[in-house]
Amino acid sequence: MSEPIRNKKVDSISAPTPQNTPANAAPISSRAQQPGVGTIKEEEMERAAAGLFAANPALVQMMQAKLGTLVGRPSGYIESLPASVRRRVAGLKGIQKEHSKLEAEFQEEVLQLEKKYFAKFTPLYESRAKIVNGATEPSEDQVKAGETKDDEEEEEETPAEEVNKDEGANVKGIPEFWLSAMKNQISLAEMITDRDEGALKHLTDIRMEYLDRPGFRLIFEFDENEFFTNKTITKTYFYQEENGYGGDFIYDHAEGDKIDWKAGKDLTVRIESKKQRNKNTKQTRVVKKTVPTESFFNFFDPPKPPTDEEDASSDIEERLELDYQLGEDIKEKLIPRAIDWFTGEALQYENIDDFDEGEFEDEDDEDEDELSDDRDEDEDSDDEQNDGTKPKQEAAECKQS
């Protein structure tokens, strides 16, 4: 999302160059000051600007269109350089193009390396699926390796009373393995509703595969259930054929399978009932209406890329970015480390480097500071009104009356 536009003279925007940028700041003796409005707080100005833009969507669209015409517009600086210098600039551009070709080759080799090791991971994923679904039991070596603590792991003893003594002879595999893993994965947990859990309990495996063209496919496998007839539901992410500026693959769009819901079991909609009264006969009737509702299974009906300016000015870009990130989280986090998400161990590594603790502060402390400031202001006001012969409490009582 772009920041609010504060400069109204958009026509005069140009890139800073030696020709239009002063070498020194204005001298102190000139008494030149930065223009500002001292009586209005910055928060109030931002709220006022947000309200203005919200009430005038046409204004926002017009400003976005105007700014779009300024992107990439030359400032005239390069054209003003001597011919010999312009020639050297063109040479540097040629070197940059060679660099871009190498970046594209690098990204392609990285993709091929990912595919090579994915082929080695696949038998491990297949063994995991058999154990989860009760088709086989883990070997003694696998159990021993799993029970061995890594060097970084701290040994924590579980209290004896919390250990389940049941041998679980009648339990097949690991019940609700994928549902539990998904509920521990933060971005996915936000999408799963209570109604979804009934269907996701039947999830037997989540796999992925690479496409022949740039992209990948997520495959969700289900047992027979009361909600839909699909045995598998897939979602495919496509990249653009051409690489981006740094040689990276650029996300294009996603496509999901149609879910064949059984009668009355569609989790992506809910039924609203509304009473209507006939004006003439005074008889009432109940009208039922199907409306969309939140559900994890909306994941398989991804947003479509914008096709016109109206769509581009909405929240479609944010929804596309979120949808792609969810796919990446499943591909890069959930599938490779499903057991760590099931046990919750993966949570201790989630977003550990994404935020700096110094950038955040407790909201309660901030509120208390504001309340303290308000109290100080009230006390100062009371001191001015009080002649010094009465306590402040009496002055406050007089004000309340």
Side-chain angles (χ1 to χ4, degrees):
M1 299 295 289
S2 59
E3 295 183 356
I5 308 303
R6 295 186 174 87
N7 188 350
K8 295 182 179 179
K9 297 182 179 180
V10 291
D11 292 332
S12 62
I13 294 177
S14 60
T17 68
Q19 279 70 29
N20 64 19
T21 304
N24 299 312
I28 297 176
S29 59
S30 69
R31 298 181 181 178
Q33 296 181 354
Q34 181 179 357
V37 183
T39 58
I40 303 178
K41 292 184 178 180
E42 184 176 353
E43 294 82 359
E44 295 176 354
M45 294 179 66
E46 291 179 354
R47 283 197 294 269
L52 175 63
F53 291 142
N56 297 275
L59 174 63
V60 177
Q61 187 172 346
M62 180 189 71
M63 295 178 71
Q64 289 176 335
K66 187 65 176 178
L67 289 173
T69 63
L70 297 174
V71 177
R73 179 182 293 181
S75 64
Y77 171 61
I78 301 300
E79 291 77 3
S80 68
L81 297 173
S84 59
V85 178
R86 293 201 305 273
R87 183 177 182 277
R88 294 168 195 139
V89 170
L92 293 182
K93 286 185 175 181
I95 294 175
Q96 185 60 47
K97 288 183 179 180
E98 293 180 17
H99 189 278
S100 297
K101 290 180 181 178
L102 289 175
E103 285 180 321
E105 292 178 12
F106 169 74
Q107 293 296 338
E108 182 60 35
E109 289 191 20
V110 168
L111 176 60
Q112 296 306 320
L113 188 63
E114 286 183 0
K115 290 182 177 180
K116 173 185 175 181
Y117 274 88
F118 177 74
K120 296 182 178 182
F121 294 149
T122 299
L124 302 179
Y125 297 153
E126 292 173 349
S127 297
R128 178 179 66 189
K130 291 178 180 178
I131 295 172
V132 166
N133 296 303
T136 187
E137 292 293 332
S139 66
E140 290 299 327
D141 290 341
Q142 290 171 336
V143 173
K144 184 176 180 181
E147 291 178 341
T148 303
K149 297 291 183 181
D150 295 334
D151 295 337
E152 298 179 356
E153 294 180 348
E154 297 181 359
E155 192 76 35
E156 294 184 3
E157 293 186 5
T158 304
E161 61 271 12
E162 294 184 11
V163 177
N164 190 347
K165 304 298 183 181
D166 184 7
E167 291 293 331
N170 298 324
V171 179
K172 181 181 178 182
I174 305 179
E176 302 179 15
F177 175 84
W178 285 104
L179 172 59
S180 300
M182 292 170 67
K183 289 175 68 176
N184 280 335
Q185 215 287 322
I186 299 172
S187 58
L188 295 175
E190 294 177 349
M191 300 176 60
I192 299 174
T193 67
D194 293 340
R195 299 171 69 216
D196 292 332
E197 292 190 19
L200 292 175
K201 288 178 181 178
H202 298 278
L203 187 55
T204 59
D205 197 16
I206 301 178
R207 299 184 289 109
M208 66 85 61
E209 62 184 15
Y210 287 99
L211 307 181
D212 294 334
R213 54 171 288 185
F216 61 93
R217 178 177 292 111
L218 301 175
I219 305 168
F220 294 72
E221 296 186 0
F222 290 87
D223 271 335
E224 187 173 343
N225 59 81
E226 61 180 297
F227 296 93
F228 44 77
T229 59
N230 307 64
K231 296 298 182 183
T232 62
I233 307 176
T234 70
K235 184 172 182 179
T236 307
Y237 287 85
F238 297 94
Y239 295 117
Q240 295 181 11
E241 293 293 344
E242 296 183 0
N243 295 73
Y245 176 75
D248 294 328
F249 294 106
I250 303 175
Y251 172 57
D252 187 66
H253 72 286
E255 297 176 4
D257 283 347
K258 180 180 179 298
I259 301 177
D260 298 321
W261 297 101
K262 295 181 179 180
K265 295 296 183 178
D266 190 343
L267 297 172
T268 63
V269 298
R270 58 186 173 86
I271 307 298
E272 283 188 353
S273 299
K274 186 177 180 181
K275 282 187 177 182
Q276 291 183 343
R277 183 184 295 275
N278 189 298
K279 295 181 179 179
N280 299 324
T281 63
K282 303 302 181 182
Q283 292 181 337
T284 60
R285 65 173 182 176
V286 177
V287 178
K288 293 184 178 182
K289 182 180 179 182
T290 301
V291 295
T293 189
E294 293 183 356
S295 169
F296 168 77
F297 291 93
N298 289 323
F299 175 72
F300 298 101
D301 185 19
K304 303 294 186 294
T307 55
D308 50 43
E309 293 183 1
E310 183 178 356
D311 286 340
S313 64
S314 66
D315 65 344
I316 187 66
E317 294 292 345
E318 184 177 347
R319 291 168 55 204
L320 284 168
E321 182 178 351
L322 175 60
D323 180 72
Y324 174 71
Q325 188 58 54
L326 287 170
E328 279 288 313
D329 286 346
I330 295 173
K331 171 177 173 282
E332 300 291 341
K333 296 181 179 181
L334 183 65
I335 293 176
R337 300 186 176 276
I339 183 58
D340 291 337
W341 290 108
F342 174 80
T343 62
E345 294 175 32
L347 287 169
Q348 61 183 314
Y349 305 108
E350 182 74 348
N351 296 330
I352 194 168
D353 297 323
D354 288 353
F355 35 139
D356 183 4
E357 200 170 314
E359 296 178 359
F360 296 87
E361 61 183 11
D362 294 336
E363 293 184 0
D364 293 342
D365 294 342
E366 186 176 330
D367 294 340
E368 289 177 3
D369 291 340
E370 292 179 359
L371 289 173
S372 178
D373 293 340
D374 292 340
R375 292 193 195 101
D376 292 341
E377 291 178 3
D378 291 341
E379 290 176 0
D380 293 340
S381 177
D382 293 343
D383 288 341
E384 293 176 1
Q385 296 180 7
N386 192 1
D387 59 2
T389 60
K390 296 180 180 180
K392 294 177 182 178
Q393 183 176 0
E394 293 183 8
E397 291 174 355
C398 291
K399 287 175 64 178
Q400 291 175 0
S401 61

